[in-house]
Amino acid sequence: MLLASSIIASAQCTKPVIFDTDWWTDVDDACAVRILLDAERKGDVDVLGICISAVNETSVKSLDSFLRHEGRSEMPLGIDSEATDFTGEPCYHQLIIDSCDDRSARDNADCADCVAFYRQLLASSKGKVDIVAVGYPNTLARLLESGADKVSRLDGRRLVKRKVSHLWIMAGNYPEGEENNFTRTARSRSAGALLCSEWPTEITFLGHEVGIRVVAGGRLKEEDLLHKVLARHGSAKGRYAWDPMTVMLAISGDAGKEGYRLVRGWNTVDPETGANIFREDPDGRHSYVVMTEPAEWYAGRLDDLLLSAAGYQVSNRVIWNVL
């Protein structure tokens, strides 16, 4: 039996998080969602809600169907209702909807716009919240620019400063370069520039140069819906792991434990091109991660998590189903 003090200590370790995803044309978002929900089941995080930063007509129904399939129904969902201008056609949304065939899955119209979504969750949180963002930064930029309302007398910047502990974000290329989440559209470019110049808490960036070296999801079983999602994308042998690596880093909060060293300073984004430049400064509020382990080390940990979260036991890379 656990002592009361142990139970209290465990409860205090649960980190409240809000997850922000484009849930768009790439599939590493789905891998990230599985890992995040597994961490919630283990008591490591409390997922307060998920916000979608790039929206088409099947965005919410496909995400909600996937969440229900993964055992997490009634997740608070928000969308950037203005962000319908991202090009590309999601290849896996309809596959999820058809595979799950859940008539109770919600639609876009059932969800709050991202500003109201964020302001409500942050204002009602008793403590500070971590935000984990793996998509476009427009939802966060709109939050920053929001004004006081009936939910909170604080404007967006002051609300973030008071209620957000840390922002973990997959965006940029380090120490300088271009990456999709900042460069994709005029919307993402201007939002990235605003985020880097105005966000009032610490930010940890995981860049393109990190995730492009690690492939995850290739050991999933064929009957697994997540494998089918990856296969529909053309990534049956795994996908570059930008998003799940960001989620694992945020869950832990310990860069060294997750196989990184931090470079501290200030990140800036050109609002016209979306290109970013990082200037090192020991007193900076921004950091980016540098891998300290071989790519196989990260891939193995990710695949173990993806398999165990699906109900498979993992021991010395030997997998067997226990459901």
Side-chain angles (χ1 to χ4, degrees):
M1 179 180 295
L2 288 173
L3 296 175
S5 58
S6 299
I7 296 172
I8 293 172
S10 176
Q12 290 174 340
C13 290
T14 301
K15 177 187 296 187
V17 302
I18 301 172
F19 185 59
D20 199 294
T21 171
D22 50 337
W23 195 255
W24 192 240
T25 56
D26 213 337
V27 292
D28 55 332
D29 303 74
C31 294
V33 167
R34 172 169 289 181
I35 289 172
L36 184 66
L37 297 182
D38 186 55
E40 184 177 56
R41 284 191 292 270
K42 293 173 180 174
D44 297 328
V45 298
D46 177 15
V47 185
L48 304 182
I50 298 177
C51 195
I52 303 175
S53 61
V55 179
N56 81 338
E57 63 272 12
T58 56
S59 294
V60 169
K61 185 172 285 293
S62 59
L63 176 57
D64 196 27
S65 295
F66 187 74
L67 291 169
R68 291 166 184 267
H69 174 270
E70 296 290 307
R72 184 60 160 88
S73 60
E74 306 308 320
M75 174 75 74
L77 298 177
I79 59 172
D80 186 345
S81 56
E82 298 178 357
T84 59
D85 53 350
F86 288 93
T87 58
E89 189 67 29
C91 63
Y92 61 92
H93 284 193
Q94 197 61 49
L95 167 68
I96 293 174
I97 293 168
D98 293 342
S99 297
C100 296
D101 192 24
D102 190 337
R103 297 179 183 273
S104 60
R106 290 164 287 177
D107 288 309
N108 294 358
D110 299 317
C111 300
D113 181 64
C114 59
V115 172
F117 168 84
Y118 267 113
R119 290 185 63 83
Q120 179 62 50
L121 288 182
L122 292 177
S124 60
S125 175
K126 293 181 180 179
K128 289 201 170 187
V129 175
D130 280 21
I131 296 177
V132 188
V134 298
Y136 303 110
N138 38 281
T139 53
L140 302 175
R142 288 189 60 199
L143 167 63
L144 280 180
E145 294 185 307
S146 65
D149 57 16
K150 63 182 180 180
V151 171
S152 174
R153 294 177 295 176
L154 302 176
D155 63 24
R157 287 168 176 79
R158 290 191 296 163
L159 182 61
V160 168
K161 186 174 183 178
R162 177 172 294 185
K163 286 300 186 78
V164 175
S165 175
H166 201 109
L167 173 60
W168 311 84
I169 182 168
M170 191 280 119
N173 205 339
Y174 300 93
E176 61 181 79
E178 298 182 355
E179 183 275 325
N180 175 71
N181 285 355
F182 281 153
T183 64
R184 185 65 174 267
T185 66
R187 181 186 303 278
S188 63
R189 294 190 287 271
S190 61
L194 178 70
L195 182 79
C196 288
S197 64
E198 299 292 335
W199 191 266
T201 79
E202 292 218 350
I203 307 176
T204 300
F205 297 89
L206 186 143
H208 177 269
E209 77 287 352
V210 173
I212 196 71
R213 294 173 56 190
V214 179
V215 174
R219 287 165 43 207
L220 293 168
K221 302 304 179 181
E222 290 187 1
E223 65 271 16
D224 189 329
L225 177 59
L226 184 54
H227 168 80
K228 295 175 183 178
V229 167
L230 287 161
R232 179 63 60 89
H233 179 265
S235 302
K237 295 183 179 179
R239 179 59 176 156
Y240 298 124
W242 300 289
D243 295 357
M245 292 176 81
T246 304
V247 165
M248 282 188 68
L249 175 64
I251 292 167
S252 169
D254 185 334
K257 178 182 176 182
E258 298 307 314
Y260 306 104
R261 66 177 177 87
L262 293 176
V263 179
R264 183 169 286 278
W266 299 98
N267 197 25
T268 59
V269 171
D270 186 320
E272 298 300 321
T273 67
N276 70 282
I277 297 176
F278 196 92
R279 175 176 58 87
E280 292 189 34
D281 178 353
D283 298 321
R285 203 163 53 234
H286 301 163
S287 299
Y288 71 87
V289 298
V290 177
M291 297 165 65
T292 60
E293 302 292 340
E296 295 76 16
W297 184 83
Y298 305 90
R301 296 175 77 231
L302 286 167
D303 279 342
D304 284 353
L305 277 174
L306 291 171
L307 282 162
S308 64
Y312 291 85
Q313 288 189 352
V314 184
S315 178
N316 297 321
R317 301 285 186 260
V318 177
I319 315 300
W320 66 93
N321 192 268
V322 295
L323 292 179

